[in-house]
Amino acid sequence: MADEEDIILSELDDEELVLQMHDDLYDGLKDEIEEGVRILLDRGWTPYDVLTKALVAGMTIVGADFRDGILFVPEVLLAANAMKAGMAILKPLLAETGAPKVGKMVIGTVKGDIHDIGKNLVGMMMEGAGFEVVDIGINNPVENYIAALEREQADILGMSALLTTTMPYMKVVIDTMKEKGMREDYIVLVGGAPLNEEFGKAIGADAYCRDAAVAVQTAKDYMSRKHNKLAAG
Ligand code: B1M
């Protein structure tokens, strides 16, 4: 039987390679993930397919075993590191559309929450779609969001939360925007695995975005409505 070390990634066909990348992500093997990403790109895969089919799908398996107590924080951190290494290769390719800037978004993960992979992915895809993205990182108190929106003169606020305990903080941010009379000046989009449409509505966001592709489409839709409104005077 072949030893793990004997596997030569470039000799695998696409399907085998993607499955092997899921395993390598699970095992937190950063170098192998980087190599796998490069091979798929060389074979003509689009950066988006590499991202979703090899990396995001692999992370879903990690998530299930984390939930079931099979994997623990240190292992998941390694997997996250490997994922980020793969994403770093894809980032410039996703952003390389040369499209004119269609709007500006401030995005950050809410206070108490340090998950950033989904947020980073949304940022990358938004940049790829021609948005200017200002990423304010993780664990953001409301003051950070408000300051960044005002400083950057952004069109869109994007908030990410991955924990059921941190997602209610999005409402704190939106309520503060209302108190300051600035809520209507921005399009507020929210996302993260534990959220849903009802939650988005309940907290007063403009839209809940299930994934990065939906975030891009939703942002585009809202920006064109905003432009139409301005044009109508
Ligand atoms: Co944690 N974690 N984690 N974790 N982690 C989850 C979220 C969890 C679901 C795992 C599980 O039990 N199955 C669970 C939450 C349970 C709950 O609240 N319902 C959990 C837990 C419990 C925890 C800790 C409490 C564990 C502990 O310490 N005991 C702890 C909390 C730390 C904290 O934040 N205070 C913790 C820690 C960690 C690590 C540090 C080890 C690591 C994070 C590393 C990092 O991000 N740099 C980690 C990871 C990696 C995960 C899982 C496995 C994967 C998350 C991820 O990156 N997914 C996750 C399990 C899961 O989600 N299935 C889990 C891939 C990413 C592409 O998807 O982030 O969903 P996602 O983003 C998507 C969409 O949601 C959407 O688009 C993205 C791309 O398509 N989206 C947006 C996200 N943000 C958006 C913003 C938008 C729009 C769309 O704005 C416009």
Side-chain angles (χ1 to χ4, degrees):
M1 212 173 78
D3 203 40
E4 283 271 334
E5 271 105 0
D6 292 331
I7 295 172
I8 298 173
L9 295 181
S10 58
E11 288 178 354
L12 302 178
D13 68 28
D14 286 11
E15 200 181 324
E16 290 166 340
L17 176 57
V18 166
L19 291 177
Q20 184 59 43
M21 286 174 74
H22 293 171
D23 278 357
D24 290 345
L25 192 74
Y26 193 95
D27 294 334
L29 302 177
K30 180 173 166 278
D31 293 347
E32 283 75 0
I33 288 298
E34 286 175 339
E35 191 186 345
V37 166
R38 292 207 174 90
I39 293 172
L40 288 175
L41 289 172
D42 283 347
R43 290 184 188 172
W45 279 48
T46 63
Y48 183 70
D49 274 354
V50 178
L51 189 64
T52 50
K53 293 182 183 160
L55 301 184
V56 176
M59 196 45 116
T60 306
I61 303 168
V62 172
D65 280 3
F66 189 26
R67 178 196 60 217
D68 296 341
I70 297 165
L71 287 180
F72 296 95
V73 169
E75 290 123 321
V76 177
L77 262 180
L78 281 179
N81 257 351
M83 168 122 185
K84 284 187 178 181
M87 281 165 64
I89 299 173
L90 298 173
K91 184 174 179 178
L93 304 174
L94 284 165
E96 229 172 47
T97 60
K101 291 285 167 251
V102 282
K104 191 170 189 179
M105 177 176 77
V106 164
I107 189 165
T109 304
V110 297
K111 187 174 164 184
D113 201 322
I114 61 166
H115 294 87
D116 67 354
I117 295 177
K119 163 186 71 62
N120 296 349
L121 219 155
V122 172
M124 277 163 54
M125 298 271 299
M126 292 285 290
E127 280 179 358
F131 285 85
E132 197 177 336
V133 175
V134 179
D135 186 338
I136 58 170
I138 54 175
N139 194 20
N140 281 291
V142 57
E143 298 78 27
N144 289 9
Y145 287 109
I146 305 284
L149 285 173
E150 288 176 337
R151 181 181 68 239
E152 303 294 341
Q153 301 192 312
D155 305 291
I156 303 172
L157 168 61
M159 286 189 280
S160 181
L162 266 285
L163 300 171
T164 43
T165 48
T166 56
M167 61 191 227
Y169 195 77
M170 293 176 163
K171 184 167 184 318
V172 174
V173 177
I174 293 174
D175 286 350
T176 308
M177 290 170 76
K178 285 182 188 160
E179 277 160 29
K180 291 182 173 288
M182 58 190 284
R183 169 66 186 90
E184 296 314 314
D185 300 338
Y186 302 94
I187 299 157
V188 179
L189 305 181
V190 294
L195 279 64
N196 58 32
E197 198 109 24
E198 287 74 53
F199 176 79
K201 281 204 188 98
I203 62 169
D206 289 299
Y208 154 71
C209 307
R210 190 183 63 243
D211 58 28
V214 171
V216 166
Q217 195 49 52
T218 311
K220 279 184 179 165
D221 292 347
Y222 273 94
M223 284 309 293
S224 64
R225 273 187 236 169
K226 184 174 171 175
H227 286 140
N228 289 344
K229 231 194 228 170
L230 288 176

